[in-house]
Amino acid sequence: MKRYLQIVLNVPVNQAFTYLDIDDNDSGESRLGYRAEIKFGNRRTTGFIIAESNEFPADCGVEEEKIRPILRLLDKEAIFTPELVSLARWVSSFYLCSIGEALSAMLPGGKRETDAGSFSFTEEAPDTTPRSLSEEQSAAVEGILSSTGSRLHYLYGPTGSGKTEVFLQAAERLLSEGKGVIYLVPEIGLTRQVIEAVVARFGQTAAVLHSGLTPSQRLGEWKRILHREARVVIGARSAVFAPVPDLGMIIIDEEHDGSYKSGSTPRYHARQVAMYRSAKCGIPLVMGSATPSAEAWHAMKNNTIIRHTLTRRLAGGAMPRIRAINLSLLKMDGCISDELSQAIKECIAAKRQAILFLNRRGFTHFFRCNSCGFEMKCKNCSVSLTYHKNEKRLRCHYCGWQTVPPQECPQCGSLDVGYSGFGTEYIEQEVRGKFPNARVVRVDTDNITKKGELQEKLDAFRKGEYDIMLGTQMVAKGLNFPNLQLVGVILADTGLHLPDFRAAERTFSLITQVAGRAGRFFPDGLVLVQTYAPDRKPIVCAVNGEIEEFYESELNEREMLDFPPYSRLVRLVFRAPTEAQAEESAAGAVNILRSSLQKIIHSDSARAKSAEETEILGPAECPIVKIALNWRYQVLLRGNNMGIMQKVAADLLYNYRHSSDVYIECDVDPVSLL
């Protein structure tokens, strides 16, 4: 008997193609969830089988005699369960991508997950054996497991308050009942230390999914999960799709972290996917952070998410003293103020350690002419080039283009040229000059080149082989350093000047989280925050530990400006090789979007009011208007009815006839507008 298979491909075409099953399937065994090699046009490619039937599909656009058989099955068993195929359909409709792209994202190759900026400072590495819980921790575990109301829970407390132990003991309880658990951590938090501790705690029942695995290793772990050999899955964002049978709970550690949002199609957010799976399976979703996202804080305030608060630091030590240093009042010779310099001297004299943190790589920020103000920018991207002293090159951190620094201004010929700002290389030179006897290690992506080198440097710092560590957010991977006394934030306002409505939230989160590194084991931790804007709300609140005040102020501002969580956004970016093409495509798209909204207003009385209230913002240049020779314009849809915005965006994506040179990116609920 003929069996017709519906196959989708990892391409932006939202339709299934009909193929015949191979002839040797006499048993009539289901092919749902298998991968198959097929001939598509003149090329061989891999497809995913999402439906099957014995009848020729009535809506097939091809005559029956032209239907070709698949070439072969790539799997001995289904690798996508019916639940995951159903989840892929939801991801496809919510994030406006094809089902094939959604299935492909579930089982990705060994590429890095961190395309969104990550600001996570992972909680302490878990203990290899369970600890006895404090009263607060016990109440949180019981509250999570016995909840009959909302299935969404948030574990909120400062770094060191034992959130990880709550997650793990709740997971152990569910494992003893035969349930499975997915535990998400940001990619930056998947250090060897965390992986080893989790495997030691759960043994062979733990599977780890991360970017370091080859595609075949990842498939091997996937099959262990399917066969119930692994019941706890720990991984970065794509692990939210793990095919765990009898799933009992999903955990999202450091929920605020930007790397949970995918930066390529499908642009899903692991938190949103976890909420959907949690609702469909009727299981708890537990999130945690010392600095929740503004959306999560708002949901806790409205009791949509149940909040469990931990107030005490269990590792001993105390919350560090935090002070802001106002750079605008100082005459700076370099980038380290006298007060920070003195604190470093005292720290080293006491045989303790310091971390200096700056969220910028390279030697200095940008090349600038002091006569005419000319800035050296990348020829492919509209961003300033960064000077790297070791290589004596100016380099673009977006596309990688580099050039030799000019001796005179290319615009006016002036010799009065120099560099403004500073990066980790520049700080390293200054630190070695000011503290010649200190043992210094720099940690950023420019000087970590070999596999395992990052872990070696962090381990060496933990063992006391260095006195000062300086770096970008990669130092976050260090987890706990028992002898750390001082943290210096070289320039806290770097992120505040970005044209993005989340800039304040990210700056507050970064200072609060980095401050949590100091004084974990001693009562004398000190954090010095250098800033030109000590009066800006995120910096004032982070320095004074005014967490509630910051969120209240931030949410009031968001409400006034009608930004999330008080509205929803869909971002459409038009990329093209010329500025005119990008601008024209965006302008044409606005007309189509307006017309789609008008149709809803006139034909659907139930949704007319929501459609009228949906705004179209733009077209406008993206804040970074050019990246890798592509010009970028954007249009934002803003409203409270996501269904309407998805419908009009989908109409545009699937029906807009534009130049083949133009590429449209669609981002539902974007976390960054850069």
Coordinates of all heavy atoms in Angstrom, one line a residue, residues 123 342 448 482 501 592 624:
E123 N 25.2 31.7 39.1 CA 25.2 31.4 40.6 C 26.4 30.4 40.8 O 27.0 29.8 39.9 CB 23.9 30.8 40.9 CG 23.6 30.4 42.3 CD 23.0 31.6 43.1 OE1 22.8 32.6 42.5 OE2 22.9 31.3 44.3
Q342 N 44.2 53.1 44.6 CA 44.6 52.9 46.0 C 43.9 51.6 46.5 O 44.6 50.8 47.2 CB 44.1 54.1 46.8 CG 44.5 54.1 48.3 CD 46.0 54.0 48.5 OE1 46.8 54.5 47.8 NE2 46.4 53.2 49.6
I448 N 41.7 34.9 24.0 CA 41.4 33.5 24.3 C 41.3 32.8 22.9 O 40.3 33.0 22.2 CB 40.1 33.3 25.1 CG1 40.2 34.0 26.4 CG2 39.7 31.9 25.3 CD1 41.0 33.4 27.5
P482 N 37.1 32.4 45.7 CA 37.0 32.6 47.2 C 37.9 33.7 47.8 O 37.5 34.3 48.8 CB 37.6 31.2 47.7 CG 37.4 30.3 46.6 CD 37.5 31.1 45.3
F501 N 15.5 50.6 24.3 CA 14.7 50.9 25.5 C 15.1 50.0 26.7 O 14.7 50.2 27.8 CB 13.2 50.7 25.2 CG 12.7 49.3 25.0 CD1 12.2 48.6 26.0 CD2 12.8 48.7 23.7 CE1 11.7 47.3 25.8 CE2 12.3 47.4 23.5 CZ 11.8 46.7 24.6
I592 N 1.8 48.3 2.9 CA 1.1 46.9 3.0 C 0.6 46.7 4.4 O -0.5 46.2 4.6 CB 2.1 45.8 2.5 CG1 2.4 46.0 1.1 CG2 1.5 44.5 2.8 CD1 3.5 45.1 0.6
I624 N 22.4 50.7 14.1 CA 23.6 50.4 13.4 C 23.1 50.2 12.0 O 22.6 49.1 11.6 CB 24.3 49.2 13.9 CG1 24.7 49.4 15.4 CG2 25.6 48.9 13.1 CD1 25.2 48.2 16.1

